[in-house]
Amino acid sequence: MSIKVYVPLDSGSVALGADDVAAAIAAKASKAGSDVKIVRNGSFGMYWLEPMVEVETPRGRVAYGPVSTDDIDALFEADFLTGGPHKLYLGRTQDIPFLKSQSRLTFQRCGIVDPVSLDDYRANDGLTGLENALKMTDEEIVKAVTDSGLRGRGGAGFPTGIKWNTVREASADQKYIVCNADEGDSGTFADRMIMEGEPFVLIEGMIIAGLATGATKGYVYTRSEYPTAIDVMNEAIKVARAAGVLGDNVLGSGKAFDIEVRMGAGAYVCGEETSLLNSMEGKRGVVRAKPPLPALEGFLGRPTVVNNVISLCSVPVILEKGAEYYRDYGMGRSRGTIPIQIAGNVKHSGLYEVGFGLTLGEIVEQIGGGTATGRPVKAVQVGGPLGAYFPKELFDTPFDYEEFAKRDGLIGHAGVVVFDDTVDMMKQARFAMEFCAIESCGKCTPCRIGSIRGTEVVDKLERGEQPELQIELLRDLCETMKFGSLCALGGFTPYPVLSALTHFPDDFKPRALDIAAE
Amino acid sequence: MPDNVHNKQEFDNMLEREACMSETTEDQNVRVAAICDQLITLEGPLLPILHEVQEEFGYIPDGALQTIAKKLNLSRAEVHGVASFYHDFREEKAGKHVIKICRAEACQAMGADALGDQIRRHLKVDWSQTTADRKITLEPVFCLGLCACAPAAMIDGKVVGRVSADRILQKVGS
Ligand SMILES: Cc1cc2nc3c(=O)[nH]c(=O)nc-3n(C[C@H](O)[C@H](O)[C@H](O)COP(=O)(O)O)c2cc1C
Ligand code: SF4
Ligand code: FES
Ligand code: FES
């Protein structure tokens, strides 16, 4: 029997050298005559330990990390193929505290399975949700999703079941399920991780959405920055077709569903659902006015569900274990679990799935372990480039849609980006405006022009030209953008700007002296 | 050599650029048309076609716009409007190596601004420019989904995390 060694194919692990590590292990094993089978799995999301190598032993899977090619000789000497002791030894994977303390519902198999092995997926209870759904009516499926309390994980937090019901009730010759895998928010990588590590759960979720709404065709629209996710998704779709999970006769039910992957072309705004639909139709990715809702007139004018990857990936477990099981996690009106992505200047960077309700302080200080540089935390941006900066004084805010809104913030796609005390908040405010200017679709003036004006105002402020006036102008501009923009790119850019200004006023003092010194 | 060209290297580069500009040959049209024929049955075929054309030629040749427009029953201006909207599509060939450095917030928190400055200074280019010897194109990117391994970059399609200027330059042999 060959020994199974796991080395992630996840882009994050590969970015830290996983491909070279896998090659070095294979070379050394063949030289030493050891019978090793290397499985390229997804990542468990503990990036400070990546590349994390696991070995299957009689006492379970044990981990070593972070492994570099320089460690391979020593690992073989330490007999790591039988789980021998070494300074990089982390114990059994499942016992690593960061992993053990999570509630992994959506990501339950990510890291554990071979991403493109349908047998692995089934052996770990995969497809049970779909099998259950096939025994239910469309109305019953929608009810289960509604009762679970699942809200869209793409940012807006709209109840998934209600969206599905609108599409279900619409009549049309063709309906679509469009998975929004554009994941443009900085600080987020949950969509990428699950597409690379557990693609079948997305396929399963999309098929269930199809059964619930009467859609027979699905699209995954993802970014060109995610080549590995695209490859793994395409491979998994091929495997699913060959196994009769996708196609004209889903698991022998007589129902049809198929999926195609589409690639964006480097436009952040195409994550906005109507811009995304325009892009898929081969148009400029300009935002459409609503109504009509995509649920009624979406892709090619037909009823379309547009859902985020994580929303769709959360559906199989709801159908497998029941709405109540899912709803029992979380707090208030934020039900279920949320994969929090902890990034930036933080010691334990990675993905942490847990029920809603942890405080921001717990996430940053306890789970994240504080900054990577060891300096004090100064600010935390939650929810991507359109999310607010939080100071330490607001660390008691619970991770919950409504609680964040109360403090002029948003959860967005649940990215948490940590900055230490060297960050210059005026620079961050300027960047928010600059980003909006670069990515604006150009449809509304407050967004297109206001953002450029915003960068100019910050520049003047930095040069010390009538600072009080500039701050007033900046606040005015933000008001105009908030209320005069069609979509959240222009409408929410004021969040990072105003939060920086409100919570870190000292950083907005003129810099004349610094500039002279340079 | 024309007066405004100062050395042989620049002159060669100019010739090469012109060669790729004037590649609006019959052969090019045939290849673009074949790509269109292969993808035209997709629902919404334009983006997949543009990606494939760029894959084939390294950029979207001017002449391709007309061919695509004819195949899809659009105007040339419409196809140009779409191609120019998206940051990915190039109007001219990139350098031999393409360095994309993430400029977004999680990477900023780990020193991406300084990294970008160092690379720009070393290569003597600004963002979205190609070095004079056409060897390296430097592009900004806003998040690679590697925010937990910041700062991140993509070099010739390969991702690198917790990267330094030295490592980037070493990878492109500069
Ligand atoms: C500028 C902008 C960018 C967006 N980017 C994304 C994205 O990358 N992924 C995503 O799922 N939703 C994104 N959204 C939200 C979508 O418009 C939409 O609300 C979401 O796809 C709906 O799916 P959900 O209900 O499952 O969240 C973006 C919105 C805006 C305004
Ligand atoms: S707010 Fe900006 S991105 Fe959104 S529709 Fe208007 S111009 Fe386009
Ligand atoms: S991409 Fe069209 S306005 Fe910037
Ligand atoms: S912010 Fe740089 S990779 Fe996400």
Side-chain angles (χ1 to χ4, degrees):
Chain A
M1 263 284 276
S2 52
I3 302 165
K4 265 194 190 170
V5 175
Y6 294 83
V7 186
L9 56 69
D10 178 280
S11 299
S13 320
V14 170
L16 299 172
D19 283 351
D20 296 339
V21 167
I25 292 174
K28 180 86 185 170
S30 104
K31 219 160 92 194
S34 327
D35 184 10
V36 164
K37 181 178 187 298
I38 295 180
V39 178
R40 301 304 301 267
N41 57 338
S43 170
F44 286 92
M46 298 178 281
Y47 284 102
W48 76 99
L49 299 176
E50 293 286 2
M52 188 176 95
V53 174
E54 288 173 282
V55 183
E56 198 154 77
T57 72
R59 60 181 194 277
R61 274 160 73 163
V62 300
Y64 298 83
V67 176
S68 88
T69 45
D70 298 340
D71 300 316
I72 304 301
D73 284 346
L75 281 168
F76 272 86
E77 271 158 40
D79 227 353
F80 88 117
L81 290 177
T82 59
H86 180 272
K87 66 179 195 305
L88 298 177
Y89 181 70
L90 300 165
R92 291 200 308 172
T93 310
Q94 63 188 83
D95 297 333
I96 298 175
F98 187 90
L99 198 57
K100 201 174 179 177
S101 57
Q102 299 185 36
S103 306
R104 287 211 164 197
L105 307 189
T106 307
F107 280 78
Q108 56 180 302
R109 305 172 197 87
C110 191
I112 294 172
V113 294
D114 174 345
V116 292
S117 161
L118 193 57
D119 292 338
D120 257 18
Y121 187 64
R122 279 186 195 269
N124 287 278
D125 303 323
L127 298 184
T128 318
L130 174 58
E131 279 159 2
N132 291 344
L134 283 167
K135 293 179 214 132
M136 296 158 74
T137 65
D138 56 352
E139 253 181 298
E140 285 166 347
I141 302 173
V142 168
K143 186 170 183 314
V145 173
T146 308
D147 290 350
S148 75
L150 177 65
R151 293 164 71 177
R153 302 291 189 238
F158 189 82
T160 306
I162 293 177
K163 188 184 280 186
W164 286 18
N165 203 40
T166 309
V167 177
R168 186 185 74 80
E169 285 176 340
S171 56
D173 56 337
Q174 177 73 61
K175 302 178 189 177
Y176 296 102
I177 307 298
V178 171
C179 169
N180 188 342
D182 205 41
E183 194 162 67
D185 286 359
S186 60
T188 68
F189 44 86
D191 299 354
R192 176 186 64 67
M193 263 185 66
I194 209 157
M195 288 192 285
E196 291 176 349
E198 202 190 337
F200 290 117
V201 76
L202 177 55
I203 293 172
E204 184 178 356
M206 289 179 73
I207 301 172
I208 296 171
L211 295 173
T213 56
T216 53
K217 177 88 204 210
Y219 287 96
V220 177
Y221 181 98
T222 190
R223 335 171 51 209
S224 54
E225 290 87 349
Y226 282 6
T228 304
I230 293 173
D231 289 348
V232 176
M233 278 312 306
N234 276 324
E235 179 63 23
I237 288 168
K238 235 169 54 192
V239 170
R241 271 190 206 131
V245 175
L246 286 171
D248 295 336
N249 189 10
V250 171
L251 293 180
S253 64
K255 301 242 166 78
F257 197 82
D258 210 342
I259 299 176
E260 215 178 281
V261 176
R262 282 297 169 85
M263 183 161 91
Y268 174 74
V269 74
C270 287
E272 195 282 334
E273 55 186 5
T274 61
S275 160
L276 185 154
L277 293 170
N278 274 337
S279 179
M280 277 185 43
E281 289 177 10
K283 299 178 182 146
R284 292 165 67 88
V286 174
V287 173
R288 301 176 183 170
K290 288 186 258 191
L293 289 175
L296 297 174
E297 289 179 41
F299 184 49
L300 302 172
R302 288 151 169 163
T304 304
V305 169
V306 183
N307 267 146
N308 174 253
V309 175
I310 302 301
S311 314
L312 289 162
C313 290
S314 301
V315 166
V317 69
I318 293 169
L319 273 290
E320 181 198 342
K321 301 230 166 109
E324 227 161 273
Y325 175 84
Y326 191 78
R327 198 183 51 209
D328 281 349
Y329 291 88
M331 70 172 277
R333 289 176 47 221
S334 306
R335 309 310 317 174
T337 58
I338 178 88
I340 300 170
Q341 298 128 83
I342 312 172
N345 192 339
V346 66
K347 203 155 139 202
H348 297 159
S349 55
L351 180 134
Y352 193 90
E353 182 179 349
V354 67
F356 284 92
L358 289 183
T359 66
L360 188 55
E362 284 170 319
I363 294 166
V364 173
E365 308 277 15
Q366 281 161 39
I367 297 160
T371 64
T373 45
R375 302 182 67 97
V377 174
K378 175 162 164 183
V380 178
Q381 187 179 30
V382 183
L386 310 175
Y389 285 98
F390 280 73
K392 270 185 117 155
E393 292 70 43
L394 293 178
F395 268 18
D396 59 345
T397 312
F399 216 76
D400 166 281
Y401 292 103
E402 280 69 39
E403 292 295 328
F404 264 68
K406 264 191 231 163
R407 288 161 179 84
D408 291 323
L410 51 103
I411 285 183
H413 190 45
V416 171
V417 176
V418 182
F419 292 82
D420 74 11
D421 61 349
T422 58
V423 68
D424 170 357
M425 297 309 294
M426 179 150 81
K427 203 166 153 194
Q428 298 309 117
R430 189 192 189 282
F431 176 78
M433 287 290 190
E434 184 191 353
F435 181 74
C436 180
I438 294 172
E439 299 295 341
S440 169
C441 85
K443 189 157 179 159
C444 8
T445 319
C447 167
R448 191 183 68 237
I449 307 291
S451 53
I452 296 173
R453 288 277 292 126
T455 58
E456 292 164 358
V457 169
V458 178
D459 288 341
K460 282 187 193 154
L461 190 54
E462 187 169 349
R463 290 196 298 265
E465 293 173 27
Q466 298 173 284
E468 285 86 20
L469 177 69
Q470 305 308 338
I471 287 183
E472 204 184 304
L473 273 174
L474 192 57
R475 286 195 185 275
D476 274 359
L477 253 177
C478 284
E479 285 305 295
T480 311
M481 288 173 75
K482 250 190 196 170
F483 298 105
S485 298
L486 184 59
C487 86
L489 181 48
F492 287 8
T493 291
Y495 276 105
V497 177
L498 291 176
S499 58
L501 193 55
T502 305
H503 301 307
F504 307 93
D506 287 352
D507 283 15
F508 287 79
K509 302 249 163 78
R511 307 293 168 80
L513 290 177
D514 299 7
I515 288 173
E518 256 179 35
Chain B
M1 279 194 289
D3 323 334
N4 59 339
V5 178
H6 304 295
N7 61 38
K8 169 117 183 31
Q9 165 99 61
E10 261 183 53
F11 186 55
D12 288 346
N13 293 337
M14 204 185 81
L15 290 183
E16 194 188 314
R17 263 203 303 279
E18 279 181 1
C20 79
M21 295 276 191
S22 62
E23 212 184 302
T24 45
T25 55
E26 205 43 38
D27 167 58
Q28 188 185 75
N29 289 339
V30 170
R31 279 151 76 194
V32 173
I35 289 171
C36 293
D37 290 339
Q38 193 199 331
L39 297 171
I40 201 159
T41 53
L42 295 178
E43 294 180 303
L46 184 50
L47 247 60
I49 288 174
L50 288 170
H51 273 302
E52 205 52 42
V53 168
Q54 176 143 310
E55 179 75 25
E56 174 93 10
F57 298 98
Y59 70 117
I60 311 282
D62 199 50
L65 298 176
Q66 186 60 47
T67 311
I68 297 170
K70 231 162 115 188
K71 285 276 179 190
L72 299 190
N73 219 354
L74 299 166
S75 72
R76 186 188 168 286
E78 278 173 296
V79 178
H80 178 261
V82 173
S84 63
F85 181 87
Y86 297 94
H87 301 297
D88 276 3
F89 299 126
R90 303 175 192 287
E91 287 183 10
E92 63 177 289
K93 266 191 187 146
K96 188 162 159 253
H97 298 289
V98 177
I99 303 176
K100 296 187 182 194
I101 297 181
C102 176
R103 287 191 57 208
E105 289 89 339
C107 288
Q108 289 167 10
M110 290 301 279
D113 288 347
L115 177 69
D117 290 347
Q118 271 173 290
I119 298 281
R120 284 187 296 170
R121 224 178 295 130
H122 184 91
L123 297 179
K124 302 193 179 62
V125 291
D126 205 344
W127 297 112
S128 309
Q129 291 180 350
T130 301
T131 52
D133 59 5
R134 308 281 314 155
K135 207 177 135 202
I136 297 166
T137 298
L138 177 67
E139 289 180 344
V141 60
F142 295 94
C143 195
L144 290 161
L146 304 172
C147 334
C149 335
M154 194 182 236
I155 300 166
D156 298 330
K158 293 219 165 17
V159 287
V160 276
R162 290 183 211 136
V163 75
S164 64
D166 286 349
R167 247 184 80 221
I168 292 179
L169 294 171
Q170 180 204 330
K171 279 191 184 281
V172 294
S174 176

